[in-house]
Amino acid sequence: MKDKLKPLIKEAKKTAQRAIHQHLAVQLKEITSKFGEGSKKLDKKIEKEAKKLARKFAKDIKINKEGLLKDNTVVKAPEAVAPKAEAPAKPAPKKVAVKPAAEPQ
């Protein structure tokens, strides 16, 4: 029984850790984009720190062992949805002023 339970618990914790990491990263990137321009350096740092935090949170997660045995499947956490990137503003097309043709007098 323990042999079956251990890999299920481990997989459930890994799944939870991935979901937490994705959610944190998406939320932090969204917040930074609201307050200023994002950069590759900042995005890398967000990813790294979100991964660390996700590991810490996943350690403390309590898995319902009885529920895992009944279902015998690991419930996957919903995937985080990346925020929609706003399209850069396109400059308005230049309007060419058309001069009316002068009428012959």
Side-chain angles (χ1 to χ4, degrees):
M1 184 160 141
K2 271 192 172 181
D3 296 336
K4 290 181 181 179
L5 193 58
K6 208 169 192 178
L8 290 175
I9 292 172
K10 191 173 183 177
E11 183 63 29
K13 283 190 177 189
K14 278 285 188 191
T15 304
Q17 181 180 337
R18 279 187 228 116
I20 292 168
H21 172 251
Q22 288 176 346
H23 186 71
L24 279 173
V26 167
Q27 294 297 320
L28 289 172
K29 286 178 184 177
E30 188 177 300
I31 290 170
T32 56
S33 68
K34 283 183 183 178
F35 292 113
E37 290 184 30
S39 66
K40 287 183 182 180
K41 187 176 179 181
L42 185 60
D43 286 348
K44 275 187 174 182
K45 187 163 182 146
I46 287 172
E47 285 291 330
K48 185 178 177 182
E49 297 300 319
K51 193 171 187 176
K52 283 183 186 178
L53 257 177
R55 257 190 240 131
K56 285 182 181 181
F57 289 147
K59 275 185 185 178
D60 297 333
I61 291 176
K62 302 293 181 197
I63 305 295
N64 184 0
K65 297 172 186 173
E66 295 169 1
L68 284 176
L69 285 176
K70 287 179 185 175
D71 296 338
N72 201 18
T73 58
V74 177
V75 177
K76 292 188 177 183
E79 293 182 16
V81 179
K84 295 179 182 177
E86 294 180 21
K90 295 181 181 178
K94 294 182 180 178
K95 295 182 180 178
V96 180
V98 179
K99 293 182 182 176
E103 294 182 21
Q105 292 181 4

